[in-house]
Amino acid sequence: MFRSLRQLAGRVALGAVLASATTSAWAHSSSNSYLSLTQRNADLVLRADIHLRDLDLIFDLDQNRDGQVSWGETAARTDELQTWLQQGLAVRGATQACALRPIDVLASQHADGYYLSAEWTITCPGPQDVSGQRLRLRYELLFSQDNLHRGLLKVDIPGAQSSAILSPDQPEAPLLQGEVSGWSVFQRYVAEGVWHIWIGIDHILFLLSLLVLAPLVQSRRRVTKWAAVDSLRSACIDVFAVVTAFTVAHSITLVAAILQWVTPPPGVVEPVIALSVILAALNNLLGWFSLRRWRLAFAFGLIHGFGFASVLLDLSLPAGQLALALGGFNVGVELGQLAIVLAFFPLAWLLRHTAFYRWVVVMGGSLAIAVLGTLWLVDRLAA
C-alpha cells in the first residue's frame, strides 16, 4: 500500500513538473488595464488605458504583420474601438445607469509598452453634486479572452480617494460610495497577493528550485549527488531557512519600491528574475559545489520583491490606503507562498528515498526549469 501511495505521489509530482515546464514563456507578464476617475471642473471624467497588445488579440490590428502594433494601425479603427470600450464599461448611480460621453482617444505609454487611452465624462440622472453621488463601475473588457486579466482602478476625487482591482469574479467596484473601510481594503489586497504569486510561475519555480533539495543531503557517492535525509526536523529547518530568507528579502524591496526609495526599471527587474530561476535550478545540479540555498533565496528575493511591487506601483495608491494595501498584499503573498510549500513538501518528503525523486524530480526537473528560465530570459531581454 505504501509503495502504491508513493507511486501515486510520484505521478502527481511528475505532472507538476511537466505542467511547469510547458507553461507559456510569458510567465509573470500579466495583462492589466488602468482605470481612473478624476474631476475636471464640475465634470467627472472616467479614463481607461488598454494595452495595444491586448487589443490586437481581439481586433487583429497588426495589418502589416511586422509583430508590432503602431498607433497608425490603431487610430484607423478608433470608432470601432470606442464602441467596444463602451460596451464593456458601465457606470450606475443609486437607481439608474449613467451616460458615458466620449471626450478623446489617444495613445499613452506605460512601463510595459503603448496603450490606447479613452476618456468620457459621466452624466447621471438627478443632482450633479459630486459629493452627493453614489456611483459604481462595472468593467468587463477582456475577461472573456483572458481570465487572468485585471482592471486596476484608481479614484482620485477630493474627499473620495480609493482604489480597487477588478477581476472576472469581482467586475464591479464603487466609484463614489462614501468612506471605504480599512478592513475591506486590507482583505482585497490579501486576496490579490495570493493570486499574484499563484499566477507568477517564475516566482513559483524559483521557490520550488530552492525547496526541492530540502529532504535530501549531499552524498559523496558517485552514483548520485544526493541521499535521503533521515531527520524530518532538519528538513523542516532547511525549508524554514529558505522561506524566511525569501520572505524577508522580498518584503524589504517591496516596501522600498512602493515608497519609491528604489525604483529599478521593469526592463532590468524581469530579466534578473528569469536569471534567478536559472541559477537556482542549476545550483541543484552542482552537488558538493552548490551554494547554500537560503543565501540564494535572500539575494534574489530582493529582486523578486520589485516584481511583486509592480502591481501596487501600477495602481498608484492614494497615501491614505498605502499602508493597508501594502500590508494586505504582502500578507497575501506569504499565504500564497505557504500554500505552495504545504502542497509540495509532504510529497517531496514521501518520495525522498526513491530514484524517481532524485533523478526525475530533482535532476530532470531542475534541468527543465533552467531551460524554461533561459527562454524567459531571452524573451525578456528582447522585449
Side-chain angles (χ1 to χ4, degrees), residues 126-146:
Q128 296 301 302
D129 177 22
V130 171
S131 63
Q133 297 187 53
R134 295 294 181 265
L135 305 181
R136 292 187 67 83
L137 171 68
R138 185 173 183 86
Y139 173 84
E140 296 179 319
L141 299 174
L142 295 166
F143 288 150
S144 60
Q145 288 80 22
D146 181 3

Side-chain angles (χ1 to χ4, degrees), residues 55 61 68 88 146 182 226 239 297 363 377 382:
L55 293 175
L61 300 177
Q68 301 291 328
D146 181 3
W226 309 104
V239 170
M363 307 297 284
L377 179 60

Side-chain angles (χ1 to χ4, degrees), residues 152-228:
L152 308 182
L153 170 65
K154 178 184 178 183
V155 177
D156 193 7
I157 302 293
Q161 294 186 332
S162 64
S163 61
I165 301 178
L166 301 168
S167 66
D169 295 331
Q170 292 185 313
E172 289 192 11
L175 290 175
L176 298 174
Q177 196 164 324
E179 188 71 20
V180 178
S181 73
W183 177 241
S184 66
V185 172
F186 182 82
Q187 284 181 305
R188 188 63 188 271
Y189 280 92
V190 168
E192 289 303 325
V194 172
W195 178 253
H196 186 67
I197 194 168
W198 282 356
I199 66 171
I201 304 300
D202 44 7
H203 298 308
I204 292 175
L205 292 187
F206 176 73
L207 183 60
L208 290 180
S209 294
L210 296 172
L211 296 177
V212 74
L213 292 181
L216 301 179
V217 65
Q218 291 171 330
S219 171
R220 294 185 180 277
R221 294 171 57 193
R222 292 186 178 183
V223 177
T224 178
K225 294 179 173 64
W226 309 104

